[in-house]
Amino acid sequence: MKLAVTGKGGVGKTTVASLLAWVYASEGNKVIAIDANPDANLATALGISSDEAQGITPIAELKDLIQERTGVKAGSIGTFFKVNPKVDDIPEQFSVKKDGIQLLVMGTVKKGGSGCLCPEGALLRSLLSHLVLSRSEVVVMDMDAGVENLGRGTAKAVDAFIIVVEPGQRSFQTARAIRDLAKDLGVGKCYTVGSKTRNDNDQQFIIDNLSDFELLGFINYHPEIAEADRLGKNVFHTSPGAVHDVKEIVAKLERIIRKS
Amino acid sequence: MKLAVTGKGGVGKTTVASLLAWVYASEGNKVIAIDANPDANLATALGISSDEAQGITPIAELKDLIQERTGVKAGSIGTFFKVNPKVDDIPEQFSVKKDGIQLLVMGTVKKGGSGCLCPEGALLRSLLSHLVLSRSEVVVMDMDAGVENLGRGTAKAVDAFIIVVEPGQRSFQTARAIRDLAKDLGVGKCYTVGSKTRNDNDQQFIIDNLSDFELLGFINYHPEIAEADRLGKNVFHTSPGAVHDVKEIVAKLERIIRKS
């Protein structure tokens, strides 16, 4: 299964992505976590030190490797690969492994004014669409904030979008925009996760405002989540409450998938 | 003066931008607020209804107008304009005015998979660099989350970046990345604003971690800010406390500018 975690900036996408990855891994799945945000911080959220993270070669630099293996020239990448890369094909230099999670990063802006990240997005889109997963393999992609990745179609090949919302109109606006754009990409499954909810009122506010979405559950406000960010630690070791919330979310997602 | 408000997703950029615009306007300046975020919600933060906001033609569609006025063909836009547009030249159909603030929006993704927003970014960069301001005119740009806009150089022509941070390592990482990339663009002035600080501890945490930045001040956590987002209202009418914080920030910014 391939999942993309999206939503307005700051709603908790990276926290949700890191927790989803951890819960799936703890249940015995092979998990590939992909940081598709140029303002990358999934590594930190997974408890990977900045030294370790800096050792990862971004996917953008897989270009040469793909060319070497497939004979497809750089520049024509993003169109068609001759071979379907398997998860095991992704070499270790392009990822780091921790707690059973293999982390890949898309790459970021290296120099101000050097251009946008369209080539990186295209490469990731292509990699994702050709990645063949076995039954117990899960890809969790942490997208950049907002809607631009949907213009690029970076996550075109995912099975579902997990849209994270908080109790506020602005994150609801973004959720609706994402769903409309996801439809254009042919991704019909968009589920919501309520984030930072402090009480029943907050939960009900999300339910009432997004009644036309399938809600997977809530990751309530846990002070330990903010504390984890202060300390640069991972959430799953810091906040058992958040892990509990996400286990319920994963259980519901699995029920929905089995039904469909 | 031209200011770009930047930072990690969800730190409060749009809130800061709307408050800066409102404080400058209330002090008798002519303010142009530009929503440079494709996941646009500055209009909501300024208390502009979604109906009114939908009536604004995005800057991206200024293209034809610029061509008509300058004779520069579409496609070559982003290079050089024959005329320097004055603020008064921006026609009403491309903006909406409220509380003395003129709002322009960059434009967003219209269809999933339709491509990135590079042309929009280029047009905005060009418009911004050619916009001639009088002494009492202020441009406040609300940027998209993270670092991609710095690759594009959308805000190359601003006088300063206002980097919003919250008490967490991830927003500090983003602040440092932004400053490095801004230098490449030739923008040497990067000031920080601490956001969502709940106590002296939170403030000190930001001061200690970003001691090599010039800090303009804090917008403390005010429950009314979240409430404004719940109700889709503007912050400056909902939270007098936040307005007070931003008045101090503007005063400090003015002192710094006068000295330099």
Side-chain angles (χ1 to χ4, degrees):
Chain A
M1 192 167 48
K2 299 170 187 173
L3 302 170
V5 182
T6 64
K8 184 186 166 296
V11 289
K13 284 181 297 298
T14 303
T15 300
V16 172
S18 71
L19 285 164
L20 280 174
W22 195 80
V23 168
Y24 272 112
S26 71
E27 291 176 354
N29 299 283
K30 182 162 184 175
V31 176
I32 302 106
I34 303 178
D35 196 339
N37 189 347
D39 188 17
N41 46 39
L42 183 57
T44 314
L46 290 170
I48 293 165
S49 73
S50 56
D51 278 356
E52 281 176 289
Q54 274 173 356
I56 310 175
T57 306
I59 297 175
E61 294 171 30
L62 264 167
K63 207 154 62 175
D64 294 338
L65 183 96
I66 290 167
Q67 188 173 345
E68 182 196 306
R69 287 204 186 176
T70 61
V72 176
K73 264 187 207 162
S76 57
I77 282 163
T79 50
F80 189 73
F81 290 164
K82 284 187 194 161
V83 294
N84 290 340
K86 291 211 179 80
V87 170
D88 295 331
D89 280 353
I90 298 169
E92 281 186 9
Q93 93 188 87
F94 293 99
S95 65
V96 66
K97 220 169 172 175
K98 179 137 186 168
D99 293 310
I101 300 159
Q102 191 177 11
L103 172 70
L104 284 75
V105 302
M106 184 182 77
T108 186
V109 178
K110 282 183 187 147
K111 198 169 153 44
S114 61
C116 69
L117 294 166
C118 292
E120 284 78 358
L123 197 69
L124 181 52
R125 183 179 63 219
S126 193
L127 176 72
L128 195 71
S129 68
H130 290 87
L131 207 58
V132 180
L133 299 185
S134 72
R135 226 183 156 69
S136 64
E137 286 172 332
V138 180
V139 172
V140 179
M141 266 218 297
D142 184 18
M143 306 306 294
D144 47 323
V147 296
E148 183 159 14
N149 68 69
L150 290 132
R152 287 189 177 127
T154 315
K156 196 178 160 64
V158 297
D159 300 301
F161 277 92
I162 311 285
I163 308 174
V164 186
V165 295
E166 61 188 4
Q169 295 296 341
R170 292 189 261 161
S171 79
F172 299 161
Q173 278 173 28
T174 305
R176 292 185 197 107
I178 287 172
R179 183 176 52 185
D180 290 347
L181 295 167
K183 244 181 235 160
D184 297 335
L185 294 179
V187 180
K189 289 178 190 159
C190 286
Y191 306 115
T192 45
V193 165
S195 173
K196 302 183 192 176
T197 42
R198 285 168 186 265
N199 49 45
D200 290 352
N201 248 353
D202 279 356
Q203 295 195 354
Q204 198 58 45
F205 186 70
I206 291 174
I207 292 168
D208 291 346
N209 275 274
L210 298 177
S211 56
D212 50 336
F213 279 85
E214 181 135 36
L215 178 76
L216 296 180
F218 296 98
I219 301 185
N220 292 305
Y221 173 80
H222 300 282
E224 302 86 22
I225 295 180
E227 194 54 26
D229 185 23
R230 280 179 87 114
L231 303 172
K233 286 193 172 174
N234 67 46
V235 174
F236 38 86
H237 287 155
T238 319
S239 176
V243 171
H244 173 263
D245 292 346
V246 173
K247 281 191 174 165
E248 291 197 351
I249 285 167
V250 166
K252 175 143 185 197
L253 182 59
E254 292 297 312
R255 281 200 302 276
I256 292 170
I257 288 165
R258 248 176 280 132
K259 254 196 262 171
S260 66
Chain B
M1 192 168 48
K2 299 171 186 171
L3 302 170
V5 182
T6 64
K8 184 186 165 295
V11 289
K13 284 181 296 299
T14 303
T15 300
V16 171
S18 71
L19 285 163
L20 280 174
W22 194 79
V23 168
Y24 272 112
S26 71
E27 290 175 354
N29 299 283
K30 182 164 184 175
V31 176
I32 303 106
I34 302 178
D35 196 340
N37 188 347
D39 187 17
N41 45 39
L42 184 57
T44 314
L46 290 170
I48 293 166
S49 73
S50 55
D51 277 356
E52 280 176 289
Q54 275 173 355
I56 309 174
T57 306
I59 296 174
E61 294 170 30
L62 264 167
K63 203 154 62 173
D64 294 340
L65 183 96
I66 291 168
Q67 188 172 348
E68 179 195 307
R69 285 203 186 176
T70 61
V72 175
K73 265 188 207 160
S76 57
I77 280 162
T79 50
F80 189 72
F81 291 164
K82 283 185 193 164
V83 295
N84 289 341
K86 290 210 179 82
V87 171
D88 295 331
D89 280 355
I90 298 169
E92 282 186 9
Q93 94 187 85
F94 293 99
S95 65
V96 66
K97 221 171 170 172
K98 179 136 186 169
D99 293 309
I101 300 159
Q102 191 177 10
L103 171 70
L104 284 75
V105 302
M106 184 181 78
T108 185
V109 178
K110 281 183 188 147
K111 198 169 152 43
S114 61
C116 69
L117 293 165
C118 293
E120 283 79 358
L123 197 68
L124 180 54
R125 183 179 62 218
S126 192
L127 176 72
L128 195 71
S129 68
H130 290 85
L131 206 58
V132 180
L133 300 184
S134 72
R135 226 181 155 69
S136 64
E137 286 171 332
V138 180
V139 172
V140 179
M141 265 217 300
D142 184 19
M143 306 306 295
D144 48 321
V147 295
E148 182 158 16
N149 68 70
L150 290 132
R152 287 190 177 126
T154 315
K156 196 178 159 67
V158 297
D159 300 302
F161 277 93
I162 311 284
I163 308 175
V164 186
V165 294
E166 62 188 5
Q169 295 297 341
R170 292 190 260 161
S171 79
F172 299 161
Q173 277 174 26
T174 305
R176 292 186 197 107
I178 288 171
R179 182 176 55 186
D180 290 346
L181 295 167
K183 245 180 236 159
D184 297 335
L185 295 178
V187 180
K189 287 177 191 162
C190 286
Y191 306 115
T192 46
V193 165
S195 173
K196 303 184 191 173
T197 41
R198 285 168 186 265
N199 48 47
D200 290 351
N201 247 353
D202 279 356
Q203 295 195 355
Q204 198 58 45
F205 185 71
I206 290 174
I207 292 167
D208 291 346
N209 276 275
L210 298 177
S211 56
D212 51 335
F213 279 85
E214 181 135 35
L215 177 75
L216 296 180
F218 296 97
I219 301 186
N220 292 307
Y221 172 79
H222 300 282
E224 302 87 19
I225 295 180
E227 194 55 25
D229 184 23
R230 278 180 88 113
L231 303 172
K233 287 193 172 173
N234 68 46
V235 174
F236 37 88
H237 287 154
T238 320
S239 176
V243 170
H244 173 262
D245 292 346
V246 173
K247 280 191 174 165
E248 292 198 351
I249 286 167
V250 167
K252 175 142 185 197
L253 182 59
E254 293 297 311
R255 281 200 301 277
I256 291 171
I257 289 164
R258 247 177 281 133
K259 256 195 262 170
S260 66

